[in-house]
Amino acid sequence: MVSEVDIKNALKAVKYPGYSRDIISFGLVKEVAAKNGAVSVLMQLTTNNPDVASQIKVESERVLKALPGVTAVHVDVRSQGVPQAAAQTPWPSQNRIPGIQRVVAIASGKGGVGKSTVSVNLACGLQHLGARVGLLDCDIYGPTIPLMMGIHERPTISDEEKLVPPSSHGVKLMSMGFLLEGDQPVIWRGPMIMKTIQQFVTAVDWGELDFLLVDLPPGTGDAQLSLCQTVPLDGGVIVTTPQEASLGVVRKGIAMFERVNVPILGIVENMSYYTTPSGERVEIFGHGGGRAESERQGIPFLGEIPIFTEIREAGDRGVPIVVSAPEKPASRPFIAIAEVLRDKLSVSYKV
Ligand SMILES: Nc1ncnc2c1ncn2[C@@H]1O[C@H](COP(=O)(O)OP(=O)(O)OP(=O)(O)O)[C@@H](O)[C@H]1O
Ligand SMILES: [Mg+2]
């Protein structure tokens, strides 16, 4: 006879549409019952999207009917009727920081893949699309984001004794770099780092934001895991280069987000290829690793960003390419990915 455990295990094969996570880990399954081969399941969605509900219903019925000993299946998928802003997303809202609609982490398996470049340009890209954006630079060992954003001032303290983030190109910024003197190395211990990051989220006067992007330190070790737990994240983006993807480093990033129950929004492949002045395409690190890996892992591929000298130069100048030349080919992939993120996270804001 089929048991409740069998039913739950079978439902783990049903992914939430568009995500790598299954409906059990999202906590959608509320009640499970089985008697004499008849199975009944109740699910509660936080979305009002009928397509999502019917897709989950059909797929759940399919896997349950395939279980040995099951003769009848009844799957009831209910919608919660939550407000539109949170309606399209599977994640619960209890962790929200007041005033901030979505917190998204940008991570990579290894250093030097262009994670900070992607964070900065996505932040400015979302701002370009009309969103209110903040950027939190958690990369304690090499806080490059203030340089890339051209910010030289430090946060001030408000009358309410909150840290007021400086802003540049319309994006509010908080960085460990603000707390360092010149080039001194960071010798803080883990707990101190976590505490500071926590304050960066809670004791900062971010105001109203549609998105807070978080640039995590490179790697997928314990420090990154605790950071993911420190900041209440709505989703994670993994940045990779083509060859890094083929080495399986991306899988570690996926595993890290899954361990802390952060929905993976997708993979961005950076430094995909280089176009020579004569128009020849050179795939320095191979090509398509990011897309292939995302297909293998069943998670969305968000886009590829070629190597453009202007991207690096813009970063060095403190004016990201998306700000200085939003219409140029070097900016287009960032803006396209920003659009995908905006739509995936379904933040309702005025444009
Ligand atoms: N698509 C690109 N085209 C040209 N240059 C790029 C591109 N992406 C990143 N770079 C350059 O590569 C270098 C490394 O990028 P970046 O600092 O963003 O990487 P990172 O992953 O954040 O590194 P770290 O692990 O040190 O934090 C920078 O000089 C940056 O300007
Ligand atoms: Mg970086």
Side-chain angles (χ1 to χ4, degrees), residues 63-90:
V63 299
L64 293 174
K65 277 179 191 153
L67 282 178
V70 170
T71 48
V73 172
H74 175 75
V75 177
D76 184 8
V77 182
R78 295 187 190 163
S79 295
Q80 219 157 37
V82 290
Q84 204 47 43
Q88 308 295 322
T89 50

Side-chain angles (χ1 to χ4, degrees), residues 138-203:
C138 289
D139 194 348
I140 30 221
Y141 303 107
T144 45
I145 288 208
L147 299 173
M148 289 182 175
M149 290 291 285
I151 291 186
H152 304 293
E153 75 242 59
R154 289 177 184 224
T156 52
I157 309 284
S158 72
D159 293 343
E160 290 83 35
E161 306 223 313
K162 282 201 152 192
L163 282 164
V164 181
S167 86
S168 180
H169 314 302
V171 172
K172 292 180 182 173
L173 181 68
M174 260 299 164
S175 169
M176 280 295 203
F178 293 147
L179 306 180
L180 308 178
E181 293 294 334
D183 288 332
Q184 69 166 8
V186 180
I187 46 165
W188 297 5
R189 286 183 306 116
M192 245 167 104
I193 295 169
M194 298 309 155
K195 225 167 163 206
T196 307
I197 300 281
Q198 221 153 23
Q199 283 178 344
F200 275 176
V201 180
T202 54

Side-chain angles (χ1 to χ4, degrees), residues 112 114-117 137 139 142 144-145 148 215-216 218:
K115 185 169 49 66
S116 300
T117 304
D137 176 15
D139 194 348
T144 45
I145 288 208
M148 289 182 175
D215 183 17
L216 291 177

Side-chain angles (χ1 to χ4, degrees), residues 108 110-121 137 139 141-145 148 215-219 239 241 269-274 305-316 330 334:
S108 69
K110 281 198 304 190
V113 298
K115 185 169 49 66
S116 300
T117 304
V118 170
S119 304
V120 158
N121 280 287
D137 176 15
D139 194 348
Y141 303 107
T144 45
I145 288 208
M148 289 182 175
D215 183 17
L216 291 177
V239 180
T241 52
E269 184 184 283
N270 187 31
M271 309 200 200
S272 289
Y273 57 89
Y274 172 73
I305 301 159
I307 296 173
F308 281 102
T309 314
E310 300 129 285
I311 293 179
R312 184 194 51 76
E313 285 170 352
D316 290 349
F334 292 116

